Amino acid sequence: METAPTSAPPLLVIDNLTKLFGGLRAVSEFDIEIPEQGLYGLIGPNGAGKTTVFNMITGVYPPTEGSIMLAGTSLVGLPSHIITRKGVARTFQNIRLFQNLTVLDNVRVAYHLHVGYNLAESMTRLGRFNQQERIQSDRAQDFLAVFNLQNRRDEIAKNLPYGEQRRLEIARALATEPRVLLLDEPAAGMNPVETDNLMELIHFIRDRFNLTILLIEHQMRVVMGICEWITVMDFGQVIARGTARDIQNNDRVIEAYLGKRLVRGL
Amino acid sequence: MQTLRRIPTWISTLLVALFLFVFVYVANANGWITPYVYNVIQLAGISAISALGLNLIYGFNGQFSLGHIGFYAIGAYSSALITKEFTSRWSGTQFSALSWIIAGILGVILVILVIKRLRFDQIKKWLNSTLGELKGFERWILISLILLVIAAVIIVLGVAASWVLQKGLQALFDLLIPALPEAIGKNVLMLLALLAGGSLAALVAYLVGLPLLRLNSDYFGIATLGFAIVVYTLLQNSDLVIATMKGARGMVEIPRWTNWVWVAAVLSVLVFLLRNLVYSSYGRAIVSVREDEIAAKTMGIDIVQSKTLAFAIGGFYAGIAGGLYAHLVGFLHPSTFDFVRGFDPLIIIVFGGLGSMTGTLVASALFSAIIEGLRVILPQGFEDWRFVIYPILLLIIMLLRQQGLLGTTEWGWLRAPYAPIRDVPMVSGINSVNREVA
Amino acid sequence: MKLTWRRLPLKLIAWVIYALLAAGIVYGIIGLVRLNGSVFFIQAILDGLKLGFVYALIALGYTMVYGIVRLINFAHCDVFMVGAFASYYAITRFGWGFVPAILLAMVVCILLNITIERVAYKPLRNAPRITALITAIGVSFFLEYFTALKFAFGADYITYKRPFEVVVWDIGGVLISNITVIIVAVTILLLLLLLYVINKTKIGKAMRATSLDKTAARLMGINIDGIITLTFAIGAALAGAGGVLYAIAFPQIWTFMGIMPGMKAFVAAVLGGIGNIGGAVIGSLLMGEIEVLTVSFVPFGSRLRDLFAFLVLIIVFIVKPTGILGEPQVEKV
């Protein structure tokens, strides 16, 4: 397997990952190695199995075969919330906010795994409750501030405009304080200005929070613009990997996106 | 944001609660209201407690339960057994039911803790790797057998532990409670009985919820309905096990110790606790499960824990309400806990607004007022029309207010507390990154 | 393969367990048969079948309505009750025979159920599902208590007069009455008719499409409201027939008679996998058998029969969360 030109040790190592839905091979022998603080891209036509990879990493579906190692410990077979506790957070392709909660509460829910008081303290408001609740709220607002959502904090999440919902989802994922962040089409539905800002933002949070990022994206501008290393999938299989320039010139990738006949004609 | 400095919400809410409490108390003491109305008011309070529990399960946690009445029944019968034993010594002693129930609950908790500590999944993994040569079903059977044997040993130990504990507790109660002055001893016992009934209901809820809460919403509703019918059938045949419960003939001679002070005090405490729970990190976790289970999971929420927590606390509320009910009417019959009556708390919370504590409180009062008020309003010869008019009213309300009376809005201190605004920026220059986004 | 020496004893243990399990099941069945003789056993199975077929008629109404509008129609059991009463009046007041009486019951139930759907459920089609459920409970209460009023059916138990003489055949000690034959025959006839409509006609195809995806079905030009009304009508017709058959089998009727059989039929539908017609039938037969076998063979069985029926439900759910024939629901992420 080719690896990206980097000296950092790999943080997330996926090997031979396979998922069968009945007879359908949704993902077949997928592998990737992402170094610490890497910013990697995963692209491919619709139905190539990209989101299924995310679902297997985060424990939504169990993999049929293969291994997923985060800093040397296996994530396979663990329930989703444990995987999140070990440091993997994600966003969703079709935004999955807690729609009827406020913006602030959305982020505070994600901070629940760092909660510093017990159930009895929460019901009686004694002990550590007030201090810890304050810390939780403050941290949540810090995350909102990063995404410029601090003025929206008391609004109901479903009332936010689309772009802000996308940003809130990333803020929420960050609140779990992950080491690896999986972004599923973060720029979908954004206008060019918003997309530019998003690209800047992704760079910024990667450096600020020491994140390792894997992102799925259809807007080539985003992928080619920020990803250090790109993996291309088609029909569940990895068909190419390399830097943005390699991928742009790869025949199989062009074929996968545009179809065979067109390529021949070119 | 400029907000007027207003009176803190807890003051106005406390004043309203105090006013209601004193008003009913004085009205009853001076005979302004008939004993019948006094009873109805207490019943309204009791159904509010039970409905609050269901609102936590369904309104906040989103788990559609039709079996709430089962927990209500468990609380009612178990607390009635305890106090009836104290007053009428049906078992020959005074505190065996109380000590058995407490010891039993502790014993089961002990077993659960030990089983959790043992990490069964690890044992299973180890067995899986050692028995790896066997194929599918055979391995499954062998492993289940081994695990069953381990579990059986732990359970036997747990039973032994609770047996010893029961002897100790009974001796302790025999010593302590008769030593108290009669008025105090009675109330202490009532409190213990309510707590024991509520805890038993909570424990049963936990054990029932653990396998069933994996089910999809409607299937969970049906399974809990099945649970309620199982409880009902067991109660109808309870005389086969404990004679004094009298099965289908109805349990009598339960001391009538519930009064307005008890109902109001218990209701206030439970509302206080529930409100605090809902507006804490645990409460937000519970609500997030209702909003989107998969998102909650990937945000690190242990959804099984959240669901069982809400279900057990909801069961606890129902159990406490059942205990108060038993000591209000002094007579328990299985038909009171029929699944058709089990729809009452569901109707109350939907009527009041799912996920609104204020709505539940208001709706319980209105519900009792409608049901009992019809009895008063309807002219002679039309009493049978009560349950014809009630569903018509229900239909009209549902057609007019589909989100319930209050939707999800809350009043006063029951509203979500305002989180203080963070004024110190975390990192300077963050906003410059997003200068054009807003 | 390494460690083969351990393979044999493990294999042996597994086979011993198999043998013990099989022996246990065989011993249990033989024990049941020998307890009161094989005739008694067959008799119990037949009685269970009789009950199960009646449940099936009710369960189909629940399962079809659920399949189309995802509503637990609690009022369905009261439609069943009205069917029994309609045939009672037809038989005792007008002296009608069995066939016209059952047809009348079906027509009355269809009209009633369509009215309920129009008045109570249709305005709530876009409301939260729980609102419609509460409304269904309200309709159920209304039907029960309204028909119990003096000028309606009255609140007393009424003895149902069968429209035909009961004939009992003795086949080797097993007693089969013409009631059982009629119940099984009518149910199977209606079931075949239903299967034909659903699988072979255009309307049936429209119904299946609607249950899969309402929006898509509407875009394909299917009249959703018409299909929903039709579903309620078919369910009601089956419930009406079920009401008549139930009254013939257990000839005592009153306005609350629907609750328990309705509940069991509904649970049977869920047990089989709600929304699934074959599942409803299998679940109902299972439910009938459990009930009758409990009464026949378990000590205190007649008092404990509901207990067993619902315990089986809970156990099935734990093993297979969507019922026997239900398909697992997978949420797309």
Side-chain angles (χ1 to χ4, degrees), chain B residues 267-283:
Chain B
L267 180 61
S268 316
V269 170
L270 292 183
V271 168
F272 173 81
L273 295 179
L274 183 65
R275 180 265 182 195
N276 284 346
L277 172 70
V278 166
Y279 300 126
S280 75
S281 200
Y282 293 90

Side-chain angles (χ1 to χ4, degrees), chain A residues 170-222:
Chain A
I170 304 177
R172 188 181 65 170
L174 275 187
T176 64
E177 303 197 336
R179 301 173 70 182
V180 176
L181 181 62
L182 309 175
L183 299 173
D184 200 342
E185 299 195 24
M190 285 189 172
N191 64 34
V193 180
E194 284 178 323
T195 308
D196 283 342
N197 283 309
L198 182 80
M199 287 161 67
E200 245 181 292
L201 193 61
I202 290 175
H203 262 297
F204 174 77
I205 58 172
R206 194 262 304 256
D207 299 337
R208 173 68 186 78
F209 299 101
N210 291 326
L211 287 175
T212 305
I213 296 178
L214 177 61
L215 68 90
I216 297 176
E217 188 48 71
H218 275 303
Q219 291 199 35
M220 283 307 141
R221 198 159 61 89
V222 179

Side-chain angles (χ1 to χ4, degrees), chain C residues 198-210:
Chain C
I198 287 184
N199 290 324
K200 300 283 172 181
T201 63
K202 210 169 169 186
I203 288 175
K205 198 181 252 179
M207 287 172 77
R208 280 180 286 146
T210 310

Side-chain angles (χ1 to χ4, degrees), chain C residues 43 167-182:
Chain C
Q43 186 76 58
V167 185
V168 180
W169 297 288
D170 185 332
I171 301 173
V174 180
L175 303 177
I176 300 176
S177 68
N178 53 352
I179 295 174
T180 311
V181 174
I182 286 176

Side-chain angles (χ1 to χ4, degrees), chain B residues 28-75:
Chain B
N28 176 56
N30 294 340
W32 298 343
I33 51 175
T34 60
Y36 171 71
V37 174
Y38 181 60
N39 247 13
V40 170
I41 292 174
Q42 293 182 61
L43 272 176
I46 291 170
S47 53
I49 295 172
S50 169
L52 280 174
L54 186 62
N55 206 355
L56 179 66
I57 297 171
Y58 186 35
F60 289 103
N61 197 217
Q63 303 306 308
F64 177 49
S65 167
L66 288 170
H68 209 56
I69 197 82
F71 304 119
Y72 189 69
I74 290 173

